[in-house]
Amino acid sequence: MDVATLGAIGTILVGLATAAGAAIGKRGENRTAQAAGVFGGYGALVGDLQEERDKLRERLADVERQLIEAFRELADARAEKAQLLSQIHDLTGERDRLLAQLGGPPT
């Protein structure tokens, strides 16, 4: 073989090696991009879940405050009911005493 043929074959081999290296590099780049996309997706998902969890915690705190207020109102209503029952008992007793003093039968 002469020098020109060997030079041409060498150029072809270098071109093939460069193409093979580029193809292998592109595969690695694609894998890296895909992995970065997956990790980025996981990061976004985790961020969304944490944000949703924070919103749920805020709602839970709000519901617990409302529940405490409802129990407080119920306790106030029960106390008021007990006070009214005591007042009814006292007034009924006074009515019966007054009727007895007037000579009528207690009802």
Side-chain angles (χ1 to χ4, degrees):
M1 285 195 201
D2 62 355
V3 175
T5 306
L6 288 176
I9 292 174
T11 303
I12 291 172
L13 290 176
V14 168
L16 289 175
T18 303
I24 291 171
K26 188 65 175 174
R27 278 184 37 193
E29 182 183 324
N30 288 341
R31 284 186 188 152
T32 302
Q34 185 179 18
V38 168
F39 287 127
Y42 284 140
L45 179 61
V46 168
D48 291 346
L49 289 174
Q50 287 175 341
E51 184 177 325
E52 186 175 337
R53 177 178 253 174
D54 291 342
K55 287 179 183 177
L56 289 173
R57 283 184 175 151
E58 289 174 11
R59 179 67 182 135
L60 176 62
D62 186 44
V63 167
E64 286 178 341
R65 282 190 295 274
Q66 291 176 3
L67 186 60
I68 289 169
E69 182 60 30
F71 276 120
R72 186 176 295 125
E73 288 177 16
L74 179 62
D76 291 345
R78 286 180 177 168
E80 185 178 334
K81 179 181 176 183
Q83 182 183 7
L84 288 172
L85 286 172
S86 176
Q87 186 179 2
I88 288 170
H89 180 267
D90 293 344
L91 290 172
T92 302
E94 185 176 350
R95 182 196 64 192
D96 290 346
R97 282 190 300 280
L98 290 172
L99 282 173
Q101 287 177 359
L102 288 173
T107 58

